[in-house]
Amino acid sequence: EVQLVESGGGLVQPGGSLRLSCAASGFTFTNYWMTWVRQAPGKGLEWVANIKQDGSEKFYVDSVKGRFSVSRDNAKNSLFLQMNGLRGADTAIYYCARARKYCPAGNCYHDYWGQGTLVTVSS
Amino acid sequence: QSVLTQPPSVSGAPGQRVTISCTGSSSNIGADYEVHWYQQLPGTAPKLVIYGNNFRPSGVPDRFSGSKSGTSASLAIAGLQAEDEADYYCQSYDISLSGSYVFGTGTKVTVL
């Protein structure tokens, strides 16, 4: 059974940092692009970043470029999102998701999602 | 502000058919990028219900169907059931946003 379990969320002050983790199991992690998606309270979904199977390609939404960094540890079947310079607008539930197809071509979709971890940026 | 526009809400009685539109432009759906659809039940993670414009993942009832034409796409739910009450989001890719995956604004489906 495919499982994705996020952790690392919490309350952080504006300008602070947080590192999210996503533990994957039930599939061959190294075969898939992976994605982070977020959802602000009461709002819609927003794609944040995705990363190639070997970590050599990474893409970000403009609003997080230079502040967030996606990475993965294939030996531990884990995906990460390092978030620096956090702002109130970053307050959201962060989901990790497994991506299908070749993401840079623009046609990837997400067939499994974790339950999400809540990040709250507030003083 | 999403580049994919959906109606905020649609509703129907049990057994009826409802349709949700996803309107884009020449830089996303109209540029021949695929559209995918997700269902989000209250308090849960999104679940894929349609991929590649009109394909259903295993386990999704055939009451769900997708279509795409020009700069728009649609999700139809036939034989509406109480368990279909949820938020639905379309997803595609936009070449004008430094190459970015985009989600629709979301539609709340209410079963009357």
Side-chain angles (χ1 to χ4, degrees):
Chain A
E1 177 193 8
V2 172
Q3 284 199 322
L4 297 168
V5 180
E6 302 93 338
S7 61
L11 176 63
V12 61
Q13 292 188 339
S17 298
L18 214 53
R19 189 191 195 212
L20 306 183
S21 300
C22 171
S25 61
F27 65 101
T28 304
F29 186 64
T30 52
N31 285 352
Y32 295 89
W33 282 75
M34 296 295 294
T35 297
W36 286 99
V37 174
R38 67 184 178 183
Q39 185 171 34
K43 302 297 185 182
L45 301 171
E46 180 181 37
W47 170 76
V48 175
N50 50 28
I51 183 170
K52 191 179 179 179
Q53 291 91 331
D54 63 1
S56 62
E57 295 183 55
K58 305 173 185 182
F59 300 92
Y60 301 90
V61 67
D62 283 349
S63 60
V64 308
K65 284 179 181 175
R67 300 188 300 123
F68 289 12
S69 178
V70 60
S71 62
R72 60 194 295 163
D73 183 339
N74 287 341
K76 296 183 178 179
N77 290 344
S78 294
L79 174 71
F80 305 102
L81 185 67
Q82 177 66 42
M83 304 185 295
N84 300 327
L86 282 162
R87 307 165 180 168
D90 297 317
T91 294
I93 296 173
Y94 285 74
Y95 297 100
C96 69
R98 189 177 82 169
R100 301 300 301 271
K101 289 192 175 181
Y102 180 59
C103 288
N107 285 329
C108 79
Y109 58 93
H110 305 91
D111 60 351
Y112 286 95
W113 299 61
Q115 85 291 345
T117 187
L118 176 63
V119 172
T120 303
V121 183
S122 175
S123 56
Chain B
Q1 190 83 8
S2 176
V3 296
L4 301 179
T5 302
Q6 300 177 229
S9 63
V10 299
S11 61
Q16 285 190 331
R17 181 178 187 271
V18 296
T19 302
I20 302 169
S21 60
C22 175
T23 302
S25 68
S26 59
S27 64
N28 41 68
I29 298 174
D32 206 28
Y33 290 108
E34 294 177 346
V35 179
H36 321 287
W37 291 89
Y38 303 88
Q39 174 195 64
Q40 188 175 33
L41 298 170
T44 70
K47 171 191 171 185
L48 180 69
V49 291
I50 292 289
Y51 67 95
N53 302 324
N54 56 8
F55 295 94
R56 276 187 318 277
S58 174
V60 173
D62 60 5
R63 303 183 291 102
F64 290 84
S65 63
S67 64
K68 175 189 160 185
S69 179
T71 59
S72 296
S74 293
L75 173 71
I77 310 173
L80 197 63
Q81 299 183 3
E83 67 207 49
D84 300 330
E85 186 160 295
D87 293 325
Y88 292 83
Y89 295 92
C90 59
Q91 179 229 302
S92 188
Y93 183 84
D94 193 292
I95 196 66
S96 71
L97 298 174
S98 306
S100 176
Y101 282 90
V102 289
F103 288 91
T105 50
T107 298
K108 169 69 175 180
V109 170
T110 300
V111 181
L112 301 172

